[in-house]
Amino acid sequence: MKIRPLRVLSVAGAITLLTACGAESGAEPVSSGSGSDKITVGVIPIASNAPIYLGQQEGFFEEEGLELEIQNTVGGAAAVPAVVSGNFDFADSNIVSLLVAADQGLDLEIVAPGSASSGDPSKDATAVIVPEESPISTPADLSGKTISVNTLSNIGDTTISAVVEENGGDPSTIDFVEVPFPEAEAALESGNVDAAWVAEPFLTSALKSGSRAVTYNYADFDPATPIEAYFTTSKFAEENPDIVARFTRAMHKSHEFASSNPDAVREIVGTYTKIDAGLRAEMTLNKYPTEFSVEILQKLADAAFKYGTLQNKLDVSTLIQE
């Protein structure tokens, strides 16, 4: 697998990423004056993060005595240092980015699940797509091809590589290049890449325009692939265990509500993104778990190490806070 330089991007029970290096920073919760504790959470404003917005709207955080302030972030590259410095109390990140952070010695704790694969290998929220006339028809055919991903050395190229190898291809011959999701379809149409990894709502748009999905890589990697999680520093968690517990409960309520109310998910996405109503109605939604499989996290960590995203092999059983 050919990759360009590593960059930590964004990325479900509570898994603790404990490393030898302790974080020195951590935001102190502030009383709002109404008896609630004010918390600031960095969130990537994308469709898969609808539950936290629904939780705020439905009063789940207020029920737990938390005054939630959501701050937009672009991903783990910005969220991890913001949490470590204390600018955010919690933040959302993609799972592999958090594994990379642990691999690099940052002392973080995953405190609540984020989104996960829909579990449907025929219609998930992300896919590797090709032009309709492309000779590429199976994951193995991606060997030797140029594939765009939104961020290199992360969950996209890791899971795609695993799926390609599982289907008899050679991921070491793939040239992964970095192209933001909004630009991926244009890169594919222009011939700059042979295939493009895209997520909703860009996936639905591309498929309606004639592109074909070769693999729904998250679901093909594992039907329960975790994608994102909410995290804080170990220092904040140790000093504010009650706030962490209340935040986790509020997120669980938010995920349960989102899972039971898909129409509410589609509606609220329109309040913090520019996705139009038509696309919101058609796009595939993620699952919103309240528990996290350690076995699948290990599978993901092993793949990240095998394909060069992690520098060290992580034993996730040593990273779990009982």
Side-chain angles (χ1 to χ4, degrees), residues 150-219:
N150 68 321
T151 303
L152 296 166
S153 295
N154 213 280
I155 194 168
D157 43 25
T158 293
T159 52
I160 292 167
S161 294
V163 171
V164 168
E165 183 167 10
E166 183 178 355
N167 284 271
D170 183 358
S172 68
T173 64
I174 298 173
D175 183 18
F176 287 106
V177 297
E178 189 168 295
V179 179
F181 285 143
E183 301 171 17
E185 187 177 4
L188 188 65
E189 291 174 349
S190 68
N192 290 335
V193 297
D194 300 304
W197 182 50
V198 292
E200 293 289 19
F202 309 104
L203 175 57
T204 291
S205 178
L207 294 177
K208 290 180 68 176
S209 297
S211 295
R212 291 187 290 107
V214 175
T215 172
Y216 291 91
N217 52 297
Y218 285 157

Side-chain angles (χ1 to χ4, degrees), residues 72 76 85 133 211 216 250 304:
N72 287 351
S85 68
E133 68 279 4
S211 295
Y216 291 91

Side-chain angles (χ1 to χ4, degrees), residues 229-272:
Y230 288 86
F231 70 98
T232 188
T233 63
S234 293
K235 181 176 186 292
F236 183 91
E238 290 166 4
E239 294 178 352
N240 303 280
D242 182 58
I243 288 179
V244 172
R246 285 184 279 148
F247 175 76
T248 300
R249 286 196 298 267
M251 285 305 307
H252 285 179
K253 293 176 185 176
S254 300
H255 274 216
E256 289 170 351
F257 183 85
S259 297
S260 300
N261 296 275
D263 289 342
V265 170
R266 297 180 192 280
E267 182 176 352
I268 202 162
V269 167
T271 68
Y272 65 90

Side-chain angles (χ1 to χ4, degrees), residues 260-290:
S260 300
N261 296 275
D263 289 342
V265 170
R266 297 180 192 280
E267 182 176 352
I268 202 162
V269 167
T271 68
Y272 65 90
T273 75
K274 296 181 180 179
I275 303 173
D276 65 51
L279 276 180
R280 295 201 311 273
E282 295 184 59
M283 67 184 184
T284 300
L285 299 180
N286 297 90
K287 282 188 176 177
Y288 305 112
T290 57

Side-chain angles (χ1 to χ4, degrees), residues 4 28 37 48 74 87-89 111 113 230 276:
R4 313 290 164 84
E28 292 296 328
D37 292 303
S48 60
V74 296
N87 289 329
F88 295 158
D89 300 306
V111 299
Y230 288 86
D276 65 51

